[in-house]
Amino acid sequence: QVQLEQSGAEVKKSGASVKVSCKASGNTFAGYYIHWVRQAPGQGPEWMGWINPKSGGTKYAQKFQGWVAMTRDTSISTVYMELSRLRSDDTAVYYCARPHSGSGGEAFDIWGQGTLVTVSS
Amino acid sequence: QSVLTQPPSASGTPGQRVPISCSGSSSNIGSNTVNWYQQLPGTAPKLLIYSINQRPSGVPDRFSGSKSGTSASLAISGLQSEDEAEYYCAAWDDSLNGPVFGTGTKVTVL
């Protein structure tokens, strides 16, 4: 059973950067894209983009282009999401997620436990 | 932020059928499949329905989905106390070139 394990909660100042990790267990790390989704308090989820763990290729939602970077380290089956120039409205729980094999690639059935990022001024 | 519109709340007594609507546009629900998630407080969303009406392994058949035009619906039949949660619809959006999510519906079991 594949699991995604994320790094712990972070508290950052406005203008700083945060890097969240997501480690995949099991032997299918390179077989599925990993997506990042964030959820601000009391709001619905928001898709940020994906990374192809095999090639390192990425696609970011237009809103995040220029200030998010998704990378991977295949030697430890881990992907990273770094968000720069943090603002208070970036306070949210950040999730990594993997698509369901039977869907078109946009339905996520495996999620990390979430990483709370709090941005203070 | 949320592109798909859902009613903020829905409720029912145990055993009842509860429908939840999700309204979108031609760039998302109108031209792509719909997925539904259940989220309990403090936990990650759980995939409930994908590709409009397919259930992942382990999801009870009390949950069913449908789509018509630019709207979709999730139905919970035989409502149970453990169904009390937040429910989100989602669909691929051709303009965003990524998935968009709904505003969420809080289901309460009376």
Side-chain angles (χ1 to χ4, degrees):
Chain A
Q1 178 71 8
V2 175
Q3 290 186 320
L4 300 175
E5 186 71 26
Q6 296 183 224
S7 49
E10 302 263 11
V11 179
K12 296 291 184 180
K13 293 282 191 181
S14 292
S17 297
V18 68
K19 192 171 186 177
V20 180
S21 68
C22 171
K23 181 177 176 60
S25 64
N27 59 0
T28 60
F29 174 69
Y32 294 87
Y33 288 13
I34 296 294
H35 295 246
W36 288 90
V37 176
R38 75 177 186 178
Q39 188 170 26
Q43 297 193 24
E46 180 180 29
W47 178 75
M48 300 178 69
W50 55 252
I51 180 168
N52 179 342
K54 185 175 183 178
S55 67
T58 56
K59 178 171 179 59
Y60 306 137
Q62 186 172 8
K63 172 180 178 177
F64 297 99
Q65 286 178 6
W67 58 298
V68 71
M70 297 176 189
T71 56
R72 95 289 194 211
D73 185 339
T74 56
S75 67
I76 55 173
S77 300
T78 299
V79 299
Y80 303 90
M81 187 283 300
E82 183 169 20
L83 197 60
S84 58
R85 305 191 300 277
L86 290 169
R87 309 183 318 183
S88 58
D89 60 0
D90 292 319
T91 294
V93 177
Y94 289 76
Y95 295 100
C96 56
R98 201 191 82 167
H100 183 271
S101 60
S103 73
E106 85 292 354
F108 309 127
D109 67 332
I110 297 175
W111 295 70
Q113 82 275 22
T115 297
L116 174 62
V117 175
T118 303
V119 183
S120 64
S121 53
Chain B
Q1 173 180 324
S2 295
V3 175
L4 307 179
T5 303
Q6 301 177 235
S9 63
S11 62
T13 56
Q16 273 191 324
R17 179 180 182 277
V18 174
I20 301 170
S21 63
C22 173
S23 178
S25 69
S26 58
S27 67
N28 41 67
I29 294 178
S31 53
N32 295 292
T33 61
V34 180
N35 310 305
W36 290 90
Y37 297 89
Q38 177 193 63
Q39 187 174 32
L40 299 172
T43 68
K46 171 189 173 183
L47 183 63
L48 211 57
I49 296 285
Y50 68 95
S51 298
I52 304 175
N53 55 14
Q54 301 300 301
R55 288 183 304 277
S57 174
V59 174
D61 59 7
R62 303 185 291 104
F63 296 93
S64 62
S66 62
K67 171 187 143 175
S68 178
T70 58
S71 295
S73 182
L74 172 73
I76 309 174
S77 303
L79 189 68
Q80 299 183 6
S81 57
E82 58 260 38
D83 299 333
E84 195 160 280
E86 192 85 22
Y87 292 82
Y88 294 97
C89 58
W92 188 267
D93 189 282
D94 294 331
S95 300
L96 175 68
N97 208 7
V100 290
F101 291 83
T103 50
T105 298
K106 168 67 176 172
V107 169
T108 302
V109 181
L110 302 172

